[in-house]
Amino acid sequence: MARVVLPENSVKEISESIDLLISLLFESLPRRDQRNWARVYLNGLVRTKGKKTIRNIAGTGASSVEQSLQQFISKSPWDWTPVRRSLAQHLERTARRPLAWVLQPMVVEKAGDRSVGVGRQFVPQLGRIANCQQASGIWLASSEASFPVEWTLTLPGPWTSELLRRRRAGIPETARSLTPAQDAVHAVQRMATTWRLQRRPVVMEVANSDLPQSIESFALHDIPFVFKVDGSLPVSFGGAGRHKPGPHTAPARELIDSLRSQRRVVEWTRHGRAEGAVTLLTSAAVFATPGEDRPAPPPAPPTPLLLLGAWTEAALLPSEFWITNIGDRPLAQLFLLAKLTDRVSLDFTETCEPVGIRDFEGRSFRGWHHHATLASVAHAARLLRASRDRLPDGGPAGRSVGDYAAPPRAGVPRPAAAARPPAVLPRPLIPGQTSRRDFIR
């Protein structure tokens, strides 16, 4: 990948932003020298040409700097969670119109077997088996910009079951071997319960096998979601009303295609492009079904959900599908949330990769998370500066998290909020209830 070289004046401005972020985000680091090395590392991520390794950041002949950075990144016991939490809270205050949390997978292919979390495994994003690390970033996203604030590193079985390997990498006793989706869902739950953030929809792609558990986990914490799913996903529908016997089960693709006469035209602008696009949308009310090994108790009613399907302008069959528990928003708004994954992919390529998110070459679990944290802060410094230069002050505020209703837990009342209307149960959209042409800008 070609690395972007910033002009000198931009580097200076970003360094000023880094100084500000150090004072705001790194208060949890107890010693001044730790904060100073964080500043050195952050400036190195922004200024260094080529791969952002510790050696390259330190510079030729600077062995003492390299040793100090190695100690700070790979061995120093500072906790990265308070820094990430402070970054998320800062971005909620300063980013323009944040709309959702978006889960972005990251695959880092490796030649050897010493890097923490590396292993030969099937990678859906590559469509093949690869020797790699699999990670996920949780990004605060708007239509204009997105920022990673939390990271998970998936650990294949040998990294948690082999005591010697676990000890060498410094993997904590609480870490387990889960799928990337399970790691990401658990991270979202921790953020929702302990980070004191506004409640926003979570947008992510979920495999059919991970979907029941993901829905249950988010429903448990009243987290609104938009899950991209495969068209082969079996969905349950019907069973309500005189002309709706059932329930029935069919693949999501077949159900959506049967409703093609009720499609709406949506005109929108692709992220990072000037030209517009046309998409045809329709939806159907469906129900969540428990996994095969997790039968639901008989008294529990099925969770009401909405299945959203999309056609490109000239396509004969629907090509994209999403499941959501947000039932009181127009299809165009739900589609906008779903497409925030494109915004994140663009910012990952144009900003996060150039500051070295993939470049960590150490072997410790702690070092990987320290590097990912500092790369996220460097990403924010670059993008916040670019946003201030590009956009005028002010502008309409984004949808707050409270504007998205998620189903309350059974038997547990939601705490009252003085400035927020009471939450409502999701209301599946009825095809045709809004105008048939929507616009997203």
Side-chain angles (χ1 to χ4, degrees):
M1 188 194 93
R3 300 284 180 168
V4 177
V5 179
L6 295 173
E8 188 61 34
N9 60 336
S10 295
V11 170
K12 182 179 178 181
E13 291 172 348
I14 293 172
S15 293
E16 293 172 355
S17 294
I18 287 173
D19 289 340
L20 175 62
L21 292 176
I22 289 287
S23 66
L24 293 173
L25 310 182
F26 289 82
E27 291 181 347
S28 59
L29 271 64
R31 302 199 314 268
R32 180 181 297 178
D33 67 295
Q34 290 178 315
R35 295 190 290 274
N36 286 337
W37 286 118
R39 181 180 291 104
V40 171
Y41 199 80
L42 287 167
N43 279 288
L45 292 176
V46 172
R47 294 172 179 263
T48 304
K49 298 178 183 178
K51 203 166 187 179
K52 309 304 172 71
T53 63
I54 290 177
R55 176 166 296 179
N56 287 344
I57 289 173
T60 306
S63 59
S64 61
V65 174
E66 182 179 347
Q67 291 173 6
S68 295
L69 286 177
Q70 194 72 250
Q71 170 70 26
F72 173 68
I73 294 297
S74 297
K75 297 179 181 179
S76 181
W78 58 274
D79 187 355
W80 56 84
T81 299
V83 179
R84 294 180 183 181
R85 182 174 60 238
S86 296
L87 175 61
Q89 293 169 347
H90 175 69
L91 290 171
E92 283 202 323
R93 295 190 300 268
T94 58
R96 290 173 58 87
R97 296 187 285 273
L99 295 170
W101 299 104
V102 178
L103 276 289
Q104 167 81 359
M106 181 177 73
V107 179
V108 184
E109 294 195 69
K110 296 285 187 177
D113 60 358
R114 299 294 183 89
S115 297
V116 61
V118 74
R120 286 188 57 78
Q121 50 203 312
F122 178 77
V123 182
Q125 292 79 21
L126 302 178
R128 58 180 171 84
I129 294 176
N131 190 65
C132 64
Q133 294 168 318
Q134 289 196 82
S136 295
I138 302 176
W139 296 59
L140 179 63
S142 72
S143 58
E144 287 120 355
S146 58
F147 306 85
V149 299
E150 174 68 308
W151 292 91
T152 65
L153 178 63
T154 296
L155 298 171
W159 286 94
T160 57
S161 62
E162 296 177 10
L163 183 60
L164 181 60
R165 178 182 284 197
R166 184 168 195 146
R167 216 174 260 167
R168 283 176 175 171
I171 296 172
E173 294 182 0
T174 54
R176 296 181 293 159
S177 293
L178 303 171
T179 68
Q182 290 170 340
D183 277 330
V185 167
H186 289 176
V188 170
Q189 289 177 312
R190 288 194 300 271
M191 291 172 64
T193 55
T194 65
W195 282 27
R196 301 189 303 274
L197 301 171
Q198 290 184 315
R199 190 170 56 90
R200 301 185 190 279
V202 176
V203 181
M204 63 183 290
E205 185 170 354
V206 181
N208 291 2
S209 58
D210 287 320
L211 187 64
Q213 184 178 352
S214 299
I215 291 174
E216 291 173 20
S217 298
F218 281 6
L220 183 66
H221 294 277
D222 296 340
I223 300 172
F225 59 80
V226 180
F227 291 158
K228 187 172 185 179
V229 297
D230 189 80
S232 64
L233 175 73
V235 294
S236 298
F237 61 96
R242 186 173 56 184
H243 301 295
K244 296 182 179 179
H248 304 290
T249 300
R253 181 180 292 106
E254 290 184 13
L255 175 58
I256 288 297
D257 191 49
S258 70
L259 300 172
R260 60 171 50 243
S261 63
Q262 300 173 353
R263 293 179 297 182
R264 302 187 189 104
V265 177
V266 175
E267 298 180 2
W268 59 294
T269 302
R270 297 184 186 277
H271 294 287
R273 302 182 187 179
E275 73 273 12
V278 176
T279 297
L280 289 83
L281 300 176
T282 193
S283 63
V286 297
F287 300 101
T289 55
E292 294 180 359
D293 58 339
R294 299 167 62 100
T303 304
L305 301 168
L306 192 70
L307 173 65
L308 177 66
W311 288 254
T312 57
E313 189 173 11
L316 296 177
L317 295 174
S319 56
E320 293 184 293
F321 309 89
W322 298 270
I323 291 276
T324 179
N325 61 349
I326 305 171
D328 62 344
R329 301 299 167 196
L331 290 188
Q333 289 187 15
L334 295 175
F335 181 70
L336 172 62
L337 289 174
K339 282 300 180 181
L340 286 174
T341 54
D342 294 347
R343 173 77 260 171
V344 170
S345 295
L346 182 68
D347 289 335
F348 179 88
T349 300
E350 293 187 349
T351 305
C352 206
E353 283 192 295
V355 299
I357 187 60
R358 294 178 180 273
D359 292 350
F360 180 68
E361 292 186 344
R363 298 176 180 178
S364 75
F365 183 84
R366 175 185 295 161
W368 189 93
H369 277 283
H370 284 168
H371 172 82
T373 302
L374 291 161
S376 299
V377 176
H379 174 105
R382 281 191 58 169
L383 213 51
L384 287 173
R385 170 59 63 180
S387 297
R388 283 194 292 268
D389 293 342
R390 182 173 62 248
L391 298 173
D393 293 335
R399 294 286 303 278
S400 97
V401 144
D403 292 337
Y404 292 89
R409 287 187 294 189
V412 180
R414 188 189 301 281
R420 184 178 296 173
V424 296
L425 287 170
R427 200 169 58 243
L429 295 172
I430 302 173
Q433 73 180 34
T434 60
S435 61
R436 294 183 61 84
R437 179 174 290 271
D438 298 298
F439 297 89
I440 299 177
R441 292 292 181 240

